[in-house]
Amino acid sequence: MTGIGTTEWVMARCDDLTRHSARPDALERVYLSPEHSAANTAVRAWMQDAGLDTETDAAGNIWGRRAADGTPQRPATPGEPALVLGSHLDTVPDAGRYDGMLGVVLAIAVAHRLRDTVLPFALEVVGFSDEEGTRFGKALLGSCAASGQWDPAWWDQADAAGVTLREAFLRFGLAPDRVGDAARNPADLVGYLEAHIEQGPVLEAEGLPLGYVTTIAGARRFVLTVTGEARHAGGTPFARRRDALVAAAHLVTRIEELARATDSLATVGDLRVEPGAVNVIPGRAELTLDLRGRTDAGRDALWEQIAAAGREIAAARGVTFEHTETHRAPSTTCAPQLIDAVASGIAEATATTSEPLGLWSPAGHDGMAMGAVTDVGMLFLRCRDGISHHPDEHVDAADVGVALEAYTAAVLALAKEIG
Ligand code: HGY
Ligand code: MN
Ligand code: MN
C-alpha cells in the first residue's frame, strides 16, 4: 500500500470504509452485520500492511499486534504487555465517516510509523465492533467483551427485526458461549490510547487542532414506555381519552426542562407510536432516553427527576409509565501518565509553548469499558462546527497530519517514560 501512514493514506482509508454500509445512500454499519465483516476484512489487510499480525476475537473485534522488537505477533500473546491503540468501526444510522473509523486508521498509521522502532512494550491496534449500540441497545459491546465485562443478560436484547444478540452472534460465525475468550488480562495491558474527533465545538472555538481528554462522561440509556388506550379519533371525546402520545409529548418537553437546569445532558432520540394510524388515538408510545453527565451522581439525580416526572404525567393523564435500562457506562477519568504522554505529543507536533488543552468528553467512547482493565487516554481532533453523528462530519487533512505526529509522539513519550 503506497503512502501507508501518511495523512493522504488516512483520509483515503476513511473514505474506503464508507463503502461498507447497509444503505446505498448513507453510512450505516452495525454490529455483526455483513458490513461489519467487510470492514473487518479491509482493516485486517491494512493492519498487515503496517506490519501487524491480526486476529478477530470472540466478540468480532479486529486486532493487530507487533512485539516490542517490532516483529508481527499474534494479538493477545501473553508475556509482553501491550499498549493498545484504536477505536471503533461501527456507526450510528446516517453517520459521518470519521467517528471511530479515523481513530482506527490513525492507529494503524502510527503502528506503521513505529514498525522499525523497538519499544518497551508490544503495540496492538483494535477496531472495536460495537461502540454505538445502534443495533441492540446496549453500547460498548465489543470493548465490554475485551474488558471481561460481558453480561449474559444482554443475549436476549433484540434488534428492530427481532433478531437477538445471541442469534446474531451465531449468524456471524461466533460462538456465544466463547465470548469470554475475548477478555484481555489486565496484566497484559500497558494502556488504551484512542484518537477521536471531539464531536463538539470546543477545539474549533479555541482555534486548536488537538486536545487531550480529561474525563469521559458517564452514560445511561433507557427505553421509556407510555401505555394508554387506542380509540376511535372521532368517537372518543377528550374527557374519555388516554392518549399515550400526548402524555409522551409532555414527558419529552419535561425531560428537556429538567436537564437544562443541570450540567447533564438528556436526549430523546427516537419515538415510536402504536398503532400509528391517522384516525386512531395512540395507545402506546415508546421513547429512547440518552443520559450523560460530568459525574455519575449528577446523571443519576437527573434520572430520578425524569422518572418522577414520568410517574406524575402518567397519573395525571390516566396512562402507565414504564422504563427499561438498556445501557450504562461509568464516567471515566483518563490516567495521568497517558494524559502527560498525549499532552507532550501535542506540544511536540504543534510546536507551541502554550499548554495543550484538556477537555471533558460528553461523547462516550470505548475507553469507558477499557478503563475497567487498563489506563485510558484520548487524543481529540478538531471537527468542523462540532458536527458528528451526521454525514456532514468533517476533519481537515491538516489536522489529521498534526494528529499523526502527536499520536506517534505520544506513544514514544510513553515508551520513554516506561522504558
Ligand atoms: O453516544 C456517544 O456518545 C458515542 O458516540 N457512542
Ligand atoms: Mn458515535
Ligand atoms: Mn465514537
Side-chain angles (χ1 to χ4, degrees):
M1 179 78 68
T2 57
I4 181 170
T6 62
T7 303
E8 295 70 27
W9 181 86
V10 169
M11 302 299 277
R13 301 296 74 76
C14 290
D15 294 344
D16 286 351
L17 285 171
T18 60
R19 288 194 210 122
H20 308 304
S21 174
R23 296 160 50 181
D25 61 339
L27 177 54
E28 181 166 344
R29 184 165 57 244
V30 299
Y31 191 31
L32 303 175
S33 63
E35 300 75 47
H36 168 191
S37 177
N40 274 12
T41 301
V43 164
R44 177 201 303 277
W46 302 337
M47 286 177 170
Q48 289 166 356
D49 291 336
L52 305 176
D53 192 355
T54 59
E55 187 163 68
T56 302
D57 72 12
N61 302 307
I62 180 73
W63 293 84
R65 180 184 172 109
R66 40 102 353 139
D69 67 7
T71 50
Q73 193 177 48
R74 190 174 153 277
T77 298
E80 199 169 61
L83 173 67
V84 178
L85 311 180
S87 189
H88 60 94
L89 293 170
D90 65 304
T91 76
V92 295
D94 200 8
R97 66 186 62 193
Y98 300 112
D99 173 3
M101 285 67 84
L102 179 61
V104 176
V105 176
L106 276 171
I108 295 170
V110 168
H112 167 75
R113 286 169 168 236
L114 297 176
R115 65 194 300 163
D116 300 324
T117 304
V118 175
L119 297 168
F121 40 68
L123 195 63
E124 292 200 27
V125 175
V126 63
F128 283 121
S129 50
D130 179 69
E131 187 274 342
E132 301 289 1
T134 301
R135 182 172 179 187
F136 294 104
K138 168 62 190 152
L140 306 176
L141 284 171
S143 42
C144 277
S147 53
Q149 301 180 87
W150 193 273
D151 181 341
W154 300 336
W155 287 123
D156 296 329
Q157 284 198 5
D159 65 11
V163 178
T164 63
L165 176 55
R166 175 188 304 283
E167 179 57 30
F169 245 64
L170 294 166
R171 292 182 190 181
F172 197 77
L174 296 172
D177 57 354
R178 301 299 302 268
V179 70
D181 296 352
R184 299 300 298 268
N185 179 343
D188 289 341
L189 298 172
V190 167
Y192 173 65
L193 186 53
E194 177 171 351
H196 202 289
I197 52 172
E198 180 200 339
Q199 298 174 304
V202 175
L203 288 174
E204 187 176 61
E206 296 290 332
L208 297 171
L210 305 175
Y212 62 84
V213 173
T214 54
T215 54
I216 306 169
R220 291 177 75 178
R221 294 181 188 176
F222 298 84
V223 172
L224 310 180
T225 306
V226 178
T227 308
E229 266 178 354
R231 287 288 184 276
H232 194 294
T236 315
F238 280 111
R240 298 282 301 273
R241 294 185 180 204
R242 299 199 303 128
D243 187 326
L245 179 53
V246 171
H250 278 278
L251 181 55
V252 170
T253 51
R254 189 80 185 103
I255 285 169
E256 192 202 37
E257 276 166 24
L258 290 168
R260 277 179 176 274
T262 73
D263 68 354
S264 294
L265 296 160
T267 308
V268 175
D270 192 13
L271 169 62
R272 295 170 191 223
V273 177
E274 291 174 9
V278 63
N279 56 354
V280 181
I281 299 165
R284 187 173 186 275
E286 189 176 272
L287 312 81
T288 62
L289 176 65
D290 174 304
L291 280 187
R292 37 192 98 198
R294 280 183 184 277
T295 64
D296 291 352
R299 176 204 62 193
D300 296 345
L302 175 57
W303 165 244
E304 292 308 322
Q305 290 180 292
I306 289 170
R311 291 190 291 272
E312 282 160 28
I313 291 168
R317 307 191 68 86
V319 298
T320 61
F321 169 70
E322 298 161 284
H323 50 79
T324 305
E325 184 164 24
T326 55
H327 168 64
R328 180 187 298 221
S331 63
T332 301
T333 301
C334 291
Q337 191 176 44
L338 292 184
I339 285 180
D340 290 347
V342 174
S344 77
I346 293 171
E348 184 177 320
T350 55
T352 54
T353 50
S354 55
E355 268 299 296
L357 181 68
L359 54 161
W360 85 297
S361 173
H365 299 284
D366 284 301
M368 297 158 89
M370 292 303 284
V373 288
T374 193
D375 283 352
V376 169
M378 288 194 75
L379 168 67
F380 261 1
L381 285 85
R382 167 171 54 188
C383 58
R384 183 159 59 197
D385 203 15
I387 294 171
S388 184
H389 285 187
H390 187 280
D392 289 350
E393 205 172 79
H394 176 86
V395 282
D396 286 343
D399 288 352
V400 171
V402 175
L404 260 176
E405 301 300 329
Y407 204 6
T408 307
V411 174
L412 292 172
L414 188 65
K416 190 171 170 206
E417 169 77 12
I418 291 177

